Amino acid sequence: MKIPKRYFAVGTAVIATVTVAAFATPASGGAREAVVRADQAAAAAAGAQALVASRPQMLMSSPGEDYVRGSVITADALSYVPYERTYRGIPVIGGDFVVVANAAGKVLFTSVAQESRIGTIGTSPSVSRAAAEAIAGQQLVSVSGLETTRLVVFALGGPARLAWQTTVVGKGAQGPSRLTVVVDALTGKVLDQLEHVMSGTGNGNWEGTVTIATTSSGGTFFMSSPTTSNMPCQDAATNTTFSGPDDIWGNGVGTNRETGCVDAFYGAETEATMLSTWLGRNGMNGSGGAWPIRVGLNDLNAFYNGVEVQIGHNSAGAWIGATDVIAHEMGHGIDDTTPGGISRNGTQEFVADVFGAATETFANNPNDPPDFLVGEEVNLVGSGPIRNMYNPSLLGDPNCYSKRVAHQEVHAAAGPGNHWFYLAAIGSNAPGQPVSPTCNGSTVTGIGVQKTVQIFYNAMLMKTTQSSYPKYRLWTLQAAKNLFPGSCTEFDAIKAAWNAVSVPAQPGEATCP
Ligand SMILES: [Zn+2]
């Protein structure tokens, strides 16, 4: 298994070498669009590079640092230029930042993870690599493998430390685990742990008769997407893609694995279409691809782990790949492959639920209507949905933000964020929709799911390793302002929704007008 290259995901050019295609022969349709996008990305890269070269105060620079630019991400007229930092050639965890630019390459905003300078630190470890790997392994119940170990500078809060970063695979207290552990290279203390296994929930079955796009070769059909690479639907027992002599799939029986794949594959393809239609994102990973979907996990659960999505069963034995479940798991993958990686401080499950709800809304399938409940179709343990976005407290999760949310169990911690999403998209008292009680007694008018997820996705493109609810407030307000420059309606709704779930105003947040 290969560790996803979170910290150096893309590109290694410190100096931008850009090919400007502005004078290419005018082409039609998609080709012209690609030329414009390349032009826009090049302008953004140049604008960001000029800013970074001037070493502005906000970068918290120290001698010995270099800034490594990743691939520019474009979303409509906006461009996001992600950077990683090295200190004397060593990758810095928490040194990341994103420069946001408009179509002309003018810098609009800079999102910087680091909150203090590294200063001067030694680069010789006194704890050995092997000792650090052993300490990492001790964080699991049992270890089945070791992926990669590297020396890093850890700068995520507190003074920067020289550290070993190791990824171990095996079984944790909560089940399957791929855990990245950061161990202080001078003291052996565990500084940070990041779990890559994102547990979801703890003829199609849930989705009814649906249309799926498949591939065929030599007279055999495969449940594999013709437009999104690396997204087959497979039997988890053998990792074999479902195939057959015709393009007819499943039998409508929920315990049948091929049927389970129909639901999951339909939901995943719908999500990919939503991403391209609403958000201008190409595939779950941003470069046209995703991860294999495997139905057959022997657990009341589903998960994403950076390598695959596994779908388990409910208490009646039916596979649980309904649209909101598969779109949630793939949502973890979107989070994983946007700047800053998997969201932190209690926001990771909120991010995934937003993609579940947005996909369910986009699908608008009468067999699985958009409802802002999570897992209502699959009825995981026989007691209905597992989360409620318009009133999280009805299922025991917090409606309102407080500092302790960052330390709560990650699914419970989704409460305030899910509540924010519903209020921003639908509102507190929308006709024909469930009432959503606000934490400050206010009335919030929604701006629709499409605009809200568009703002949210653009906020994710400003994400750093220092993500949190307060940061998402800051980033979504900036995104609303950037995306809708001539209007304050969207900005005001986003802000009113954060106020309504008690996430307070942040230093440096945008204002409108
Ligand atoms: Zn999840």
Side-chain angles (χ1 to χ4, degrees):
M1 265 194 288
K2 200 160 177 295
I3 182 174
K5 290 184 188 153
R6 159 139 336 114
Y7 298 105
F8 287 89
V10 277
T12 50
V14 175
I15 303 300
T17 50
V18 292
T19 312
V20 180
F23 304 109
T25 312
S28 60
R32 183 181 293 135
E33 205 174 287
V35 167
V36 169
R37 209 174 297 136
D39 205 8
Q40 180 185 328
Q49 206 62 36
L51 176 77
V52 169
S54 74
R55 294 283 199 273
Q57 164 74 18
M58 72 188 70
L59 288 191
M60 301 278 171
S61 298
S62 296
E65 291 186 359
D66 281 308
Y67 306 106
V68 184
R69 180 168 64 76
S71 296
V72 179
I73 307 159
T74 56
D76 297 321
L78 295 167
S79 297
Y80 299 85
V81 190
Y83 283 84
E84 297 288 348
R85 181 183 313 236
T86 62
Y87 175 81
R88 295 211 249 160
I90 302 170
V92 179
I93 308 303
D96 52 309
F97 55 93
V98 181
V99 179
V100 186
N102 68 12
K106 179 175 178 266
V107 173
L108 301 177
F109 185 70
T110 309
S111 178
V112 182
Q114 221 169 285
E115 289 168 348
S116 58
R117 291 177 203 284
I118 292 173
T120 304
I121 64 169
T123 55
S124 303
S126 47
V127 171
S128 71
R129 171 186 293 253
E133 289 172 344
I135 292 164
Q138 286 161 13
Q139 310 311 310
L140 295 184
V141 175
S142 65
V143 178
S144 60
L146 182 67
E147 291 187 353
T148 50
T149 303
R150 61 177 188 166
L151 201 59
V152 297
V153 171
F154 185 77
L156 258 185
R161 310 283 299 169
L162 185 70
W164 290 105
Q165 185 193 48
T166 301
T167 299
V168 285
V169 184
K171 235 176 103 54
Q174 310 297 322
S177 179
R178 277 182 76 228
L179 192 70
T180 297
V181 183
V182 178
V183 176
D184 192 310
L186 301 180
T187 67
K189 185 179 172 223
V190 174
L191 299 174
D192 188 51
Q193 299 187 39
L194 190 67
E195 179 58 79
H196 300 272
V197 177
M198 303 288 145
S199 293
T201 59
N203 288 263
N205 179 38
W206 317 114
E207 306 301 326
T209 301
V210 291
T211 302
I212 54 177
T214 57
T215 56
S216 70
S217 168
T220 301
F221 291 84
F222 295 90
M223 210 187 286
S224 163
S225 168
T227 50
T228 304
S229 64
N230 196 33
M231 196 175 73
C233 202
Q234 302 181 330
D235 185 333
T238 57
N239 291 356
T240 304
T241 303
F242 282 101
S243 64
D246 57 36
D247 206 6
I248 300 163
W249 308 92
N251 60 6
V253 175
T255 52
N256 174 273
R257 289 183 188 213
E258 186 174 305
T259 301
C261 256
V262 171
D263 288 321
F265 192 66
Y266 157 78
E269 287 196 321
T270 303
E271 183 167 28
T273 308
M274 185 275 289
L275 293 176
S276 64
T277 309
W278 280 0
L279 308 181
R281 183 175 178 83
N282 183 16
M284 318 309 188
N285 68 1
S287 49
W291 304 272
I293 304 163
R294 293 175 179 145
V295 171
L297 173 69
N298 183 24
D299 197 2
L300 296 171
N301 214 335
F303 68 75
Y304 163 87
N305 65 2
V307 177
E308 61 180 347
V309 171
Q310 285 254 352
I311 302 289
H313 57 80
N314 67 11
S315 52
W319 306 111
I320 60 168
T323 294
D324 56 2
V325 176
I326 184 71
H328 170 107
E329 298 309 334
M330 291 287 181
H332 283 305
I334 297 166
D335 197 18
D336 207 2
T337 53
T338 42
I342 295 287
S343 292
R344 292 178 179 247
N345 296 304
T347 58
Q348 67 170 58
E349 298 302 324
F350 148 58
V351 171
D353 279 348
V354 164
F355 284 98
T359 304
E360 207 174 89
T361 299
F362 183 83
N364 202 20
N365 180 345
N367 293 308
D368 179 7
D371 51 21
F372 303 92
L373 299 169
V374 180
E376 76 288 349
E377 298 296 330
V378 305
N379 193 15
L380 188 67
V381 292
S383 56
I386 55 167
R387 285 188 293 285
N388 178 315
M389 298 179 78
Y390 53 84
N391 191 347
S393 67
L394 292 180
L395 294 172
D397 300 327
N399 277 9
C400 309
Y401 174 78
S402 64
K403 279 188 174 160
R404 67 181 200 93
V405 166
H407 309 289
Q408 275 186 302
E409 191 282 324
V410 289
H411 299 91
N418 286 351
H419 191 198
W420 165 80
F421 184 77
Y422 183 84
L423 288 167
I426 305 297
S428 53
N429 293 287
Q433 294 281 0
V435 169
S436 182
T438 57
C439 307
N440 59 355
S442 64
T443 300
V444 179
T445 303
I447 54 172
V449 169
Q450 182 177 346
K451 279 184 177 173
T452 306
V453 74
Q454 195 185 356
I455 289 166
F456 186 69
Y457 171 65
N458 278 264
M460 288 174 74
L461 298 179
M462 297 175 212
K463 170 160 51 80
T464 70
T465 46
Q466 289 280 15
S467 47
S468 63
Y469 279 118
K471 289 288 189 188
Y472 269 113
R473 172 175 169 129
L474 183 80
W475 296 330
T476 52
L477 289 175
Q478 188 66 43
K481 184 167 176 150
N482 292 348
L483 286 166
F484 302 97
S487 162
C488 288
T489 307
E490 294 79 10
F491 180 95
D492 290 345
I494 295 295
K495 185 170 172 176
W498 284 123
N499 289 340
V501 302
S502 306
V503 175
Q506 295 303 303
E509 76 179 26
T511 54
C512 200

